[in-house]
Structure formats: structure tokens, C-alpha cells
Amino acid sequence: MTDIVEQPDLTVCDREPIHLLGAIQSFGFLLSVATDWLVSRASENLVEHLGIAWDDAIAQPLDKVLSESAVHDIRNRIAYLQGEDSVERLLRVQLKPDAPEYDVAIHFSQGMIIIEGEPSGPAGHDDIGITVRSMLMRQSQAGSMQNFRLNAVRQIRAITGFDRVMLYRFDQDGAGEVVAESVVSRLESFLGLRYPATDIPKQARALYIRNMLRVIADLDDRGSPVLPAKDIHGQPIDLSMSVLRSVSPVHIEYLSNMGVRASMSISVICEGRLWGLIACHHYSPLRPTLEQRTAAELFGRMFSMMLESREREESAAYEQRSRAIADRLMSVVAQDADLLHNPEWIGETISAAVPNDGVGVYLDGKVSLSGMAPDEMQFRALVRDLSTGAASQIVTTDCLSRLHPPAAAYAERAAGMLAIPISRAPRDYVILFRTEKVRSVRWAGDPQKAMEEDANGIRLSPRKSFEAWRQLVQGVSEPFSSAEQRVAEAVRTSLLEVVLLLAEGRENDQARAHERQDLLIAELNHRVRNVLSLVRSLISRTRGSAQSYEDFAETLEGRVQSLARAHDQLTVRRWGPAEIEPLVRAEANAYLGDNGDRIRVSGPQVALDPVAFNTVSLVLHELITNCAKYGALSDSGHVDLRWGVDIDGSLLITWRETGGPPVRAPERKGFGTTIIERSIPYDLGGRARTTYRLTGFEAEFTIPARFITIGAGVVSGSGRGEAEPATSIENFPRSVLLVEDSMLIAIDVEDALRALGAAKVVTASSVRQARDAIADGGLDFAILDINLGSDSSLTVAEELQAQSIPFLFASGYGEQAQLSPDFAGQEVISKPYGRKEIVGAIMRMRAAR
């Protein structure tokens, strides 16, 4: 049986006219202007913002209520509006001479121009575009989907200041789950809690799609009515797209029961549907400025697009693999129709695309069952019920007993079903079953709304408890995802095609299979032709210069491995420019092992694009190979490999061998010498010159500037790889205070601290926040950004020093940071920094004790 809580009638909530409340939040004002630019409506609090009573503003030209320059700006901005679901904004507008600046939002409603204004906040450090660009850059670098979601809520919280920011995802039934959260340390986590679909009425969900951002600055704000309440036609004002729309009484009660005083929500819309919300809560009044809200909304729109793209990529990759399985299924069954009566084979084949626990096949009146499935009699009864539905339609459910009540008797074996019809008459099916998944669902309070009676009669009241409440769900399986259903549709099409083709004759089926095979062979031939040509050339040239089979095998293997090593390094760089030094080190270590330090390298940090990188890797391989066989490295000599950038931007590389046996020019040039002398001129349009001096072989190469990317720093030392700095440390502090005024830097350092072993990281962007964190106690360590905009963290350092809490400074000035004598000798790390720098600093601090 399915243990599912029955919900009361929700039509009262669903009929609440939340867009026709007739009032706005009082931190701003509203004007409704007709197309003749006469004021038709105004909020009652207009006098508090513009110094003119609302009834005095009615029927006045707009330029009598606002300054001419403000009206001019508003008129120009209206040209950008795209219909009634579009909102345009003007920031820092002077609505009256010598008056404070206001932020203005404009939209159309019922043929009117709606103008809303609110006081501007303090000027930000960056404009909206720069802020959102930085946020999106961090989003794009998130590897996993979980980090992608977590980055979003952390960044929204950073720019808005809310106590809690959650990413809330809706499931197929409309219920929501908190899948990512950023919250201040003193509050409990809501991560993983579920909220019933009834918490958000239907009309609210529809409004979330039209108006992506909603803010409530103060739950106790009684609002300001828009007057007159009805127009000449007796209609109230439609505030669907209003940025100041007041709050419905039911929602006020709901938030009040949660202890929330201010909130904001940003819609996450994927493929035109409401995927979820970025929900923000604050436990005291809070009004993010319109500038901050605009940045948050723009980020929300871009986040929705990036999320949709990621989900689409994952779905496309899954479907591509699964459709290949469907193609294989079709081709195999076309050759052996008896496999359709083998449910074990069908189950194994389809399970790779659509995971299941059991399979039932009904074909031409015959039944085949495998795995966790009902018995034959129960299966035939299920097929009879399915046959009463629409033909050629896939049927899926995670609770089979809802569609087919007799299934309750075998719910523990087959609780969910995906039925794939493979013919029209008689109705044949392949049915995938999933077993019951008994699970405990954590709701944010009892999901059942209470019926209460008040002066207006019986009504639905919002839930009053939001403590975690567990519900045992039985008789339900893991649902079949939309991607799995699309794959099932592909399987249905394939199987139906097979059945039809079998009816037309095996000969046509085999001809089609051969045609598909020929196409596949042609495609494979096209894809590998260049690779085979390159390998063939290497084999041919190596064979021509080899003295023995062993020499041939060793030389060929070395050249192929050289290309492979270059390819590996380019792959790590995502096929972008790759540095020379790691290439030299890889070649030296691969061929010389512990003697790699006999190749001394020096030069600036330089990277080569993939074409040049592959060419240079082969040249270096041949240089090192020849040197180890016949040159300085065959004896006790050394190689000096240097490079520099010429005045025209080209790269000059010199190779000089010393200390080896006497050198003389070879009588016959082998393939290796050809690679050294001709590859760079031929492939890159550069130059190559070789000299066989008695004291050692020398070579000079010039690579054109178009292949070069110049970095910062200088490379020197041997070709041997140096030991990597430590990235971990024992007994890392458990509770760390991070004082940093840059949001993005703080997020990166917080991730590094947690990776090193910190169980708790308290971030502070100001001296006041840092002092509050110290007062809360429990800190083991601190990292202090010296310069905090107009303030300094030195006073924080004094408090830490007084409490004997170890700390280090971080600064963009590094060692040149100006510290007072009280902190002479204090450890300072330079920005940018990460795990290695933090570990190194702590190790130095411990060693100095």
C-alpha cells in the first residue's frame, strides 16, 4: 500500500488574487500613467517620497510630478519595453531637483505605464555587468553539478546579504527539495528538506514564470494602497509585474510561521517551465537595492540558461549512449526474431539504457517474464488494462497501484512500470518494472495544511511547524526520468520497426542492416584515415633507418610515445597553449630517468599552441634520443637548452651539447635528423640550423610569433621534475576565521580551507563582522586580508593576538605589505594564494615556534 498523506481541498489558495492586492510595499512609490502622460493612479505614500499628495497628483501631467529630466529619461527607456511581461530599470535618477536619487522600474499593465521608484542604495564598487560577469565566470568553472548549484546560492548570498539562500528544485508532482544552501553559521541547515506542492499555489507558480524576481523587504510592513482602488471600468490595478507588489495575507502568515522577516525569490526557468527557485530568507528586515536585485535577476536568468545547457548536455550524452543500444537491439533482433521471446536478453540489453529490476514481454499472446515482475496471470491482467488506453503511447508511473489497483498485491516486486507498446493490434508490450523503494522523506514540517475556522468561515491555514518531519513512503519506486522515457520511445520505435520489418521479410531486413554497416564502416574509415597515415609514415621512415628489429621497435615506440606525451599535456590544457618546460621535463624523464638533470633549461615562461607543441615534441624527442645515443648524454656531458623571445615576437630555441665524445657530421642523414632539420620549417614556417662542432652538436630553431604565448616568470634548472610543494598538513585547524572583502576570493579560499581539513570556516568582509566572530569564540586560526577597502584588519589582528589565536596575513602587496612594529615577523602570504601557500605558511609558523 502507498502511505501518502491526503491533502485538503486547495482551491481557496489557488483562487487567491495575489496579483490584484491593490497595494505596494511602502519603501517605494507607484504611479500609473495613461498614454497621454497624465497620472491616473498613485500610491497613498506618494507624499513621503515626492512631496506631493496622491490625490493632488491624479490627472496631472507627469512632468508636474517629476522633473523634466526624469520624465525624459523615462520616455526614452519605455522604448526598450517588449510587451507587458517586460520590465525596464533606471538607476540613480533625480526625480526632483536637489532631491535624493531614486531607482525606477517601468512596465506596461492594462494599457497603462506603471512607474515604481525606491531610494537608491550606496554606490557599488562595480557596475552590474562586471558583477554578473564575475559571478558567471565562477559558475562556468564549477566541475560537478553540486558545485555548480552551491556556487550559485553562495554568490547570491554574497551580493544580497540574506541570512539564508537556498536552491529549491521542483519534482514531477510539484513538491520541492532544497538541493543547495548557503546559510550563516548560527542557523540550522535546511539542505535536503522537502516542501509540499501546496506551499506554492498554482497562480503563484504562473507568476514566477512571468516575473522572475520577487522581494519582501519587511514582513511587518502594512504597505501602501494604490488609489483610486478601481479605474473607470471598475477594475483593480494588475500588479503582476510590479517590483513593489505587496504580500498576500496567507504568504505573510506562512513566512511569519517560519520566523522569516524578509525574503527574495529568483525563478529558475528551464525550457519554459519553472524548474525551481533561488529562495532567500532573512530574519530581520532587509531591502537589497534595485541595483543588487537587478544583478541577482540577471544572474538568475543566466544561471537558468547554464543549468538548462548542463542538463541538456547530460541528457544528450545519456540519450546518445542509449540510442546506440536501441540501434543494436534493433539490428540483433532483426536477424533473430526469437530474441523477442527472451526477456532475459531484452532485460539485459534495455537495462543498459533504462535501468530496471524486471521485464515482461507480451507478444502475439505469449508471455515471457524475467527478474522482479508479477506472475503470468497478474501480468496478463495488467496488459488487458493497458490495452484499453491509447495505442502507441508509452505509459509510465512510479506507483503502479494508482493506475492498476490489483498491483497493490505485488507492490514489493513491481511498484513502478514503464510500458512500451510495440504493435497496434493485437496490443503487444515490453514492460519494464522497478521494485518498491521504501524511503523516509524529510519534509520541512508536516506537509498537511490545517483547516481553520475564523470570522470569514473555514479556510486553509499555512503550516505552523517547519521542524523536520519524516514520512514513510511505500508502494512507490524510483521514478523513470524524462530522459529515460525519451530513450524508451526510441526503443519503442526500434522494436516496432523490427516487428514490421519481420512481417515484410527477412531479406529486406538484412539489406537494411548491411546498408547501415556500410555507412558505419565508411564513417570509421573517414575518422581514422589521418591517424593511420601518420603512423604509416613513422613506420616507413623508422624502418628505413633502423639497423635491427630491436632498434626499429625501440625507435618507433619512442616516437609514438613522444606524440602521446604531447597529446596528454595538450589534453590537460584542454587543447590550448601548453608550456615548453613540462614538455622538456617529460621527454627527459621518459628517456633519461634519474639523469634528467643533465639537461639544463632556462628561458621565460612560454607556451606553444597545439600545432607547434606537437611538432616541437617530436623535435625534442629526436634531439634527446640522438644525444643519449651518440652525443653528450652518452658520456658524462651536459645539454644546455635555452629559449628566448626575439624582437619580432618569434621564439628562439638553442640546443648545445658539451662534455661528450668528439662530434662529426653523419655521412647519411636518418629520419631523426630529417625531423630535427625540416619539421619546424615545413610545419610551422620557421627556421632550423644544425652545427656539428667537434666539442658538441648545436642546433638553433626559430618558431613564428603566431604560435607563441608569453607568460610571466622565468624557467631555470634541470629537466628533472622538482618535488611539488606540500598540499596537506597534519592537525590542520578545525575552526578558521577568514577576513576577506572580495566575495570571489573568499569563496575560493573557503573551499581550500575545507579541503585541507577545516570543519568550520567563518567568513567576514569587515572589521565589525570579524570582531563578532571572535566574540562568538571557538576559533583555532585566522587568515586576515590586510586591506579591507577603506579599513584595515590590523585591529582584528590585535584582538587575535590578545587571545593567543594564531593567524597570518594575506595581501596583494605580499612581502611589501606595510605592517606595524607589533607584527614584525608575522607570516604574510601573497595573493593569489591557495592550498599550497596556506600549508607552506603554517609549516613555517610551526617551525618558528
Side-chain angles (χ1 to χ4, degrees), residues 516-575:
R516 289 170 61 87
Q517 186 178 28
D518 291 341
L519 290 174
L520 177 60
I521 291 172
E523 178 65 19
L524 288 173
N525 182 55
H526 173 74
R527 288 179 180 272
V528 303
R529 186 173 296 162
N530 287 338
V531 175
L532 292 177
S533 297
L534 177 59
V535 173
R536 179 186 176 189
S537 177
L538 287 176
I539 292 172
S540 175
R541 295 296 181 177
T542 304
R543 180 182 59 194
S545 59
Q547 301 299 318
S548 64
Y549 171 79
E550 290 76 10
D551 182 37
F552 166 74
E554 180 182 354
T555 304
L556 178 62
E557 181 180 5
R559 287 167 177 166
V560 172
Q561 287 295 336
S562 176
L563 286 175
R565 284 191 294 271
H567 185 272
D568 288 343
Q569 293 183 53
L570 289 171
T571 301
V572 170
R573 294 288 184 176
R574 297 187 177 180
W575 217 252

Side-chain angles (χ1 to χ4, degrees), residues 307-320:
L307 176 65
E308 179 179 326
S309 177
R310 286 199 174 212
E311 290 191 337
R312 188 175 293 164
E313 286 177 3
E314 290 181 356
S315 178
Y318 166 76
E319 289 185 37
Q320 184 176 5

Side-chain angles (χ1 to χ4, degrees), residues 440-497:
S440 178
V441 177
R442 294 175 65 239
W443 295 95
D446 187 341
Q448 182 168 333
K449 290 190 175 183
M451 303 291 287
E452 290 187 355
E453 185 172 1
D454 57 18
N456 298 318
I458 297 177
R459 70 180 183 92
L460 283 169
S461 71
R463 294 180 291 116
K464 293 180 172 56
S465 173
F466 290 85
E467 295 182 0
W469 185 88
R470 294 187 179 275
Q471 174 191 15
L472 188 66
V473 178
Q474 296 176 290
V476 177
S477 73
E478 185 72 24
F480 291 91
S481 68
S482 56
E484 290 171 338
Q485 293 178 45
R486 288 193 294 270
V487 171
E489 178 62 33
V491 171
R492 185 195 75 82
T493 302
S494 299
L495 289 176
L496 183 59
E497 183 178 353

Side-chain angles (χ1 to χ4, degrees), residues 745-765:
I745 294 176
I747 290 175
D748 285 335
V749 177
E750 181 180 348
D751 289 341
L753 291 170
R754 293 189 184 279
L756 287 169
K760 177 182 178 183
V761 178
V762 181
T763 57
S765 60

